[in-house]
Amino acid sequence: MDEIGTATSEDNIKVINELRSEIDRLTFELIKKDKKLSIKDEEIQKHLYTVSHELKTPLVSMKGFSSLLLAFHKESLDKEVANYLERINRNILQMEQLINDLLEYTKIQITKAEFESIHSSTIIEQALSELQYQLGKNQIQLEIEENLPLVSCQRNQMVRVFTNLISNAIKYSHKDKKPEIKIGYRSDEIFHKFYVKDNGVGIPANQRDKLFQLFNRLGNKKGVSGTGVGLAIVKRIIEGHGGEIWAESHRGKGTTFFFTLPKLRAATQPTCMK
Amino acid sequence: MSENLYSVLLIEDNPDHVELIRRAITSGPLKIKLTILSDGEDALNFIFRKGKYKTTGNRPIPDLILLDIKLPKVDGYEILRLIKTHAKLKSIPIIVLTTSARKEDIERMYQYGANSYIIKPSQYHEFVALYEKIESFCKQRFD
């Protein structure tokens, strides 16, 4: 029995050692692949930045000359010509916005060294002050929960998250309803979970899986301007912080965007009340 | 109104941007002699009086340089560095003309010694802003 027992235990140790070295090998492979992927991602971002920047050069000329024509020669132009020129100018501005958003997207870099511990209500207040005009103009009824926590994040990027989500909620409000936006928070052991809820038009089912893709415009609500980069930016920022983002939506009833942020030791202390 | 004639050197390779900047520069009462050069190497020869500019007589040093960054042969950063590390020429104010409002790009321009930067003008208010900046730098030179 002893002999068999010893043999079994030696066998076990051998197997465990083999498994350990296999785990080490796979971990090493994984780290190598992850590094390669990060380098590739960096390269893609760099190329995207260069392309976006190069596109700006002819745009400056187009915008410059059409602006000069409209500023100094509009009166002498035929009505139809002036109208076409204004259309060209509008499209140039839209293209410029698109390139700027794309540049913004490529610029996002989440670095832990720039994280700060900040109360999420401060971040939301900053986002709301940036959207003051739109909120007032659209007579938005705003509700913000009071149990908001302290978070560890890159402040400006997190302001951008809330600005984009709230701005989306404003843009896609329902024309027959008084627009309402609610910002709230839930907590579990590992994550802070925020949500931005609206009672707007909702997202069509066939659009939901493309929601966070670049250049994807939500639905086709008339008169809504945008480039389809805003939610892609939000996703990139949240994932850069180690969180996740998703949406739940009901056509005609509204959309709720949820996102999580990992709790850090400093942030797991009792939450501050607003 | 000032009667001084200011000498401005524009280093820019895109002919459309040259035209837009020229338009901005000449939109006010300031009297400006504008020299336009379209590649970095030529610009350095002009500023340091080398090559074909070695024997062209006693030209005044520019009162102001407007500098694009992406240039053929020698880029704007190198031009900035060479001028701003030259004992006699470093006092020439240099405004960098750019299409980028990126924080890192702007910081880099100042690191290399730019006195100011301006987004290339493409709207009426930007033309006015460029003219005002040029006017302010030129006048400081003569104060």
Side-chain angles (χ1 to χ4, degrees), chain A residues 118-127 151 153 158-159 162:
Chain A
I118 184 168
H119 203 282
S120 46
S121 63
T122 310
I123 294 171
I124 293 167
E125 272 164 27
Q126 198 175 328
V151 290
C153 65
M158 206 46 67
V159 170
F162 279 103

Side-chain angles (χ1 to χ4, degrees), chain A residues 128-141:
Chain A
L128 292 175
S129 80
E130 285 180 24
L131 294 166
Q132 209 174 5
Y133 174 74
Q134 289 100 304
L135 287 164
K137 189 183 161 204
N138 294 281
Q139 294 179 306
I140 306 290
Q141 193 180 313

